[in-house]
Amino acid sequence: MKRPTTGRSRHSGGPNVGRPGFAWALPATVFFALFAIVPLIGVAVMSFTSWSGLGSPEFNGLDNWNKLLSDKVMMQSLWLSALLTLLGVVIQTPLSILLGVWAAGQQKNRAVLSAIYFIPLLLSSAAVSVLWRALLDPNFGIPGQLAGIFGGDGNLLGSQAGAIAVLTFVGAWQFTPLHTLLYQGAARSVPPVLYQAAEIDGAGTMRTFFSITLPQLRNTIVTSGILMVVGGLTTFDTVLILTKGGPGTDTTITPYYMYRKAFQSFDFGVGSAIALVLVVIATAISLIMVRATGYDKMNSAQEGI
Amino acid sequence: MKPRPNYFAGAGSIIWLLIVLVPIYVMVTATIQTQQGYASAGPLSLPSSFTLDNFGALVTGGFLTYVWNTVIVTVSVVAIVVLVVPPLSYAVVRSRSRGISLIFRTFLLGLAIPAQAVIVPIFYLISVAGLYDSLIGIILPTAAFCLPICTLILTGSMRDITPELYETMAMDGATPMRSFFQLVLPLSKSGISTIIVFSALQAWNGFLFPLILTQSASTKVITLGLFDFQSQYGVNIPGLMAAVLLSMLPVLFVYLFARRALVQGLMGVGGK
């Protein structure tokens, strides 16, 4: 944030001798283009075709889009995705800021404890989902055992509210450690001078947190927020394994619906259209968050530090 | 500065500790019990029986093939990432070309491209290329989707090399190639180990690409094995838990040794 952000190439003088050329970027770029950029264009094209997996895709105009517009499950899935994403952000953000700031402090045993915190990060979504499904099993799981004490039938995944609560909880269990790490890193790089000044001014823990720590974390809140939103909108493995979109279509979120349409009903055209909706929404939200906070400018200001 | 106790955050962290540890405790104790023993004792109690049969059943059930496939996928993905990301990051950090800055922006935007979004065209691409149901078919897209985050991590680490060092090398007449091998690579060792750990984790835990791009038992990876196992033997909870534990043991092992690299890399994404 010390130097002007634009025109880096013109302002920072010096010869171009000894600087790497375009060829250095080529292998990664070609590779990435082939598997990410070309498919991204491909998904847009395929959303106007019908393809069942055999033969070649055939152009069918706006058919897929018309189908989706009148598809109740699709509309429900968008609403469910939005709900799960929002719940994820609302629960994980305060929790991970709290844990991150704590882990950045100087308490005893902090290293050991924070090593344990991050264990969920090591498990695959598949492992996490299988683990929690077993833990929540209505007959042999924890709810069954607690139901004897607290009442209830112990079948959390049997109702929509229960299934959504489980998905939110499992998502938080798996991803809070990641965001905690981000906040821990950011909290550590807050200049100590600010805290010393606060101490001299006699600010308490709360005051210091809200006047210094939180404002200093704003970049990280944006990064972490984008990761949560994109992650939430694209949750898939967890739903496939924990609820299979059920009960009924009660947790059929958009990515899972895309999978069902494309890879179970072999309607790849409609699947592509759903995927395109996902890309547009995820990208739009990321861009809005980045622009609204001026984060892109802050980010490029880091060059040369 | 003297450490000031923050009781509120401390209490929160203890609660979080329990939320993490209780499931882990249930998982570990379940794996060493018989199915009947687990059912009668209940998940939260002390084990009432002891057996290692759950692990034996995994070995005879072909789980080791899945482990081996996952190892091949992981090693290959890491190899690709290590081959293409350092040159790109070097170019991003040192080049003044607008083209390369555009490429970097595209990669950053790529962070937001979810794999699900492009899975249909990738399925088409892999089928047309004749790579469907092969490990290579999983390796290529998995590696490609590691690139944005790894590039972000490594450029962050390479920016820490002071410009004076490059300028000294350039004054001595060093070519970009020499600067890369004699200056950039040695000084970004920690960044490179981070992207190794990171891409290995992604490849080891990958689910969507294997789910869509393979079908035979001979190309199955661990995560798919878990998924199948759960659909087939959903009530054999000790068996399932043993599979979950086995799937994370190698990662846990790496984590014990490479925790610093992993943590620093993750922090680099959101920190600074």
Side-chain angles (χ1 to χ4, degrees):
Chain A
M1 272 163 261
K2 282 166 202 152
R3 46 162 88 190
T5 56
T6 50
R8 178 168 41 95
S9 49
R10 271 168 280 133
H11 285 284
S12 48
N16 276 321
V17 183
R19 288 183 186 266
F22 200 73
W24 288 81
L26 211 57
T29 307
V30 169
F31 191 56
F32 186 65
L34 193 62
F35 286 99
I37 307 299
V38 170
L40 203 57
I41 300 165
V43 82
V45 174
M46 285 179 87
S47 72
F48 298 103
T49 65
S50 81
W51 187 48
S52 66
L54 298 169
S56 301
E58 275 175 31
F59 189 72
N60 71 349
L62 289 171
D63 280 11
N64 302 326
W65 293 98
N66 284 332
K67 264 190 229 169
L68 280 185
L69 272 178
S70 55
D71 186 339
K72 280 201 184 113
V73 181
M74 175 64 187
M75 294 305 150
Q76 184 201 24
S77 80
L78 285 172
W79 155 242
L80 284 169
S81 291
L83 178 69
L84 276 170
T85 305
L86 191 70
L87 284 173
V89 172
V90 167
I91 288 173
Q92 291 174 43
T93 303
L95 189 60
S96 50
I97 291 180
L98 181 72
L99 290 172
V101 170
W102 182 82
Q106 306 175 350
Q107 295 83 355
K108 280 179 195 165
N109 307 325
R110 182 182 45 76
V112 179
L113 290 181
S114 49
I116 298 170
Y117 284 174
F118 304 134
I119 288 177
L121 207 58
L122 306 176
L123 277 82
S124 58
S125 297
V128 168
S129 313
V130 170
L131 173 64
W132 276 101
R133 199 175 156 106
L135 290 172
L136 297 174
D137 187 282
N139 299 313
F140 307 112
I142 295 175
Q145 203 172 9
L146 294 182
I149 308 166
F150 296 114
D153 62 354
N155 187 9
L156 285 178
L157 291 169
S159 68
Q160 183 177 34
I164 287 175
V166 167
L167 288 173
T168 305
F169 175 81
V170 172
W173 190 81
Q174 186 182 6
F175 291 113
T176 298
L178 170 71
H179 300 282
T180 300
L181 264 180
L182 300 182
Y183 285 115
Q184 185 188 352
R188 275 219 188 117
S189 53
V190 176
V193 174
L194 295 179
Y195 289 115
Q196 285 153 11
E199 201 166 17
I200 292 166
D201 290 349
T205 308
M206 281 302 204
R207 183 67 204 272
T208 310
F209 176 77
F210 284 105
S211 306
I212 296 175
T213 312
L214 213 52
Q216 290 283 322
L217 293 179
R218 66 187 188 282
N219 276 3
T220 314
I221 294 174
V222 177
T223 314
S224 153
I226 291 174
L227 289 176
M228 280 181 197
V229 169
V230 174
L233 287 177
T234 57
T235 309
F236 171 74
D237 323 17
T238 326
V239 168
L240 176 68
I241 296 174
L242 271 174
T243 69
K244 292 216 159 40
T249 54
D250 280 352
T251 56
T252 301
I253 53 166
T254 310
Y256 182 71
Y257 194 52
M258 186 272 299
Y259 168 76
R260 264 181 49 191
K261 279 287 175 192
F263 297 98
Q264 290 182 339
S265 315
F266 300 106
D267 201 343
F268 288 98
V270 171
S272 300
I274 302 175
L276 193 59
V277 171
L278 266 181
V279 183
V280 170
I281 295 177
T283 315
I285 293 180
S286 309
L287 285 179
I288 290 169
M289 287 176 82
V290 166
R291 292 279 151 167
T293 51
Y295 183 63
D296 52 341
K297 297 190 188 83
M298 290 185 244
N299 199 28
S300 57
Q302 285 178 355
E303 307 226 347
I305 286 178
Chain B
M1 199 174 68
K2 269 182 296 175
R4 247 189 321 194
N6 182 345
Y7 297 109
F8 186 58
S13 75
I14 300 281
I15 293 170
W16 178 253
L17 197 66
L18 287 177
I19 294 177
V20 172
L21 277 185
V22 168
I24 305 285
Y25 166 81
V26 176
M27 173 171 72
V28 174
T29 52
T31 57
I32 51 164
Q33 296 188 67
T34 61
Q35 208 175 327
Q36 290 77 14
Y38 176 80
S40 64
L44 294 171
S45 322
L46 288 170
S48 67
S49 57
F50 179 80
T51 177
L52 288 175
D53 287 355
N54 296 312
F55 293 100
L58 286 178
V59 172
T60 51
F63 208 76
L64 290 187
T65 313
Y66 308 160
V67 174
W68 178 238
N69 285 338
T70 314
V71 169
I72 295 175
V73 169
T74 303
V75 170
S76 313
V77 166
V78 169
I80 294 176
V81 165
V82 167
L83 221 56
V84 303
V85 170
L88 171 69
S89 306
Y90 173 49
V92 168
V93 172
R94 282 302 286 169
S95 169
R96 288 181 175 154
S97 133
R98 290 200 175 273
I100 288 178
S101 128
L102 183 74
I103 287 173
F104 184 54
R105 275 166 197 279
T106 314
F107 269 80
L108 287 187
L109 209 63
L111 281 173
I113 303 178
Q116 288 103 332
V118 290
I119 191 70
V120 175
I122 285 182
F123 172 71
Y124 182 66
L125 203 73
I126 293 289
S127 306
V128 169
L131 295 173
Y132 180 74
D133 204 17
S134 72
L135 291 181
I136 298 179
I138 312 176
I139 292 164
L140 295 177
T142 306
F145 272 81
C146 285
L147 296 185
I149 190 86
C150 288
T151 307
L152 189 65
I153 292 171
L154 197 57
T155 48
S157 146
M158 282 184 184
R159 287 209 171 101
D160 292 341
I161 303 171
T162 50
E164 285 78 14
L165 286 172
Y166 290 108
E167 274 147 31
T168 313
M169 295 273 312
M171 253 185 269
D172 288 350
T175 58
M177 188 71 85
R178 223 184 97 199
S179 299
F180 180 68
F181 283 107
Q182 294 190 349
L183 175 70
V184 179
L185 283 190
L187 286 183
S188 33
K189 260 186 208 149
S190 74
I192 290 172
S193 44
T194 303
I195 64 170
I196 290 175
V197 172
F198 209 84
S199 50
L201 202 62
Q202 295 258 315
W204 189 271
N205 289 340
F207 181 75
L208 184 70
F209 290 128
L211 175 74
I212 305 286
L213 302 174
T214 62
Q215 58 176 3
S216 332
S218 62
T219 52
K220 202 156 274 180
V221 293
I222 294 175
T223 46
L224 275 193
L226 283 178
F227 176 48
D228 277 13
F229 194 37
Q230 119 118 24
S231 340
Q232 287 164 29
Y233 311 103
V235 289
N236 180 5
I237 289 175
L240 275 173
M241 297 290 202
V244 172
L245 186 64
L246 202 65
S247 81
M248 71 171 288
L249 276 185
V251 185
L252 200 64
F253 191 69
V254 171
Y255 179 62
L256 290 178
F257 289 98
R259 193 174 107 77
R260 193 164 287 269
L262 176 72
V263 170
Q264 275 177 350
L266 288 167
M267 285 178 171
V269 177
K272 287 201 170 173

